[in-house]
Amino acid sequence: MASYPVDPRQPDAAYLSFWRERHLCTLTTLRPDGSPHVVPVGVTYDPEAGLARVITNKSSAKVGHVLAAGPDGARVAVCQVDGARWATMEGRARVSTDPARVAEAVRRYAERYERTPAPNPSRVVIEIELTGAMGRG
């Protein structure tokens, strides 16, 4: 895997492979007071679209933090660690309720995590337009 920084739209094979392995990740958003809110999530990575996706419930704190940032989106980071290997991606997050976008996020989640989440009418997707990435393998 490349050493940091990484172009999130053109990662090397090892970086991309690491993001396709099954790992629990974290999402960091900012609370209204500016303090970090870090929670465990499943993340999928789509370098062709320049997106990372997180499926979640629309009433979650992370969704509230992203929505509070306004239409330009919230600055966020997602990270995963496996021993000495780690990878972080950052960018602007926005929440989508569009059924097609949510379905695509669920499809990708099922592929990476080898399980299809139960139906949830309150599900939304946090889409992160990636602006940077780093990692070490």
Side-chain angles (χ1 to χ4, degrees):
M1 179 188 322
S3 187
Y4 59 88
V6 174
D7 180 344
R9 288 186 170 267
Q10 296 183 341
D12 66 29
Y15 192 84
L16 182 58
S17 177
F18 185 46
W19 276 104
R20 293 202 167 137
E21 294 173 12
R22 188 177 192 277
H23 293 288
L24 186 61
C25 304
T26 60
L27 168 68
T28 303
T29 58
L30 297 177
R31 295 181 181 101
D33 68 1
S35 64
H37 178 255
V38 183
V39 294
V41 294
V43 175
T44 62
Y45 175 31
D46 180 356
E48 293 81 20
L51 293 175
R53 295 176 178 93
V54 175
I55 55 174
T56 189
N57 195 298
K58 67 182 176 186
S59 64
S60 69
K62 56 189 160 285
V63 167
H65 298 155
V66 172
L67 292 174
D72 289 338
R75 293 186 57 112
V76 302
V78 291
C79 182
Q80 66 181 20
V81 177
D82 180 38
R85 296 185 305 158
W86 62 271
T88 299
M89 297 186 293
E90 47 191 53
R92 291 271 177 191
R94 292 175 184 81
V95 176
S96 178
T97 59
D98 177 84
R101 295 176 93 92
V102 173
E104 177 63 9
V106 168
R107 182 191 71 76
R108 288 174 178 274
Y109 178 95
E111 184 178 282
R112 181 176 189 199
Y113 291 98
E114 301 174 345
R115 73 171 197 80
T116 300
N120 177 356
S122 296
R123 181 173 287 130
V124 298
V125 59
I126 297 173
E127 294 181 324
I128 305 163
E129 185 179 342
L130 299 170
T131 57
M134 56 187 148
R136 186 173 305 263

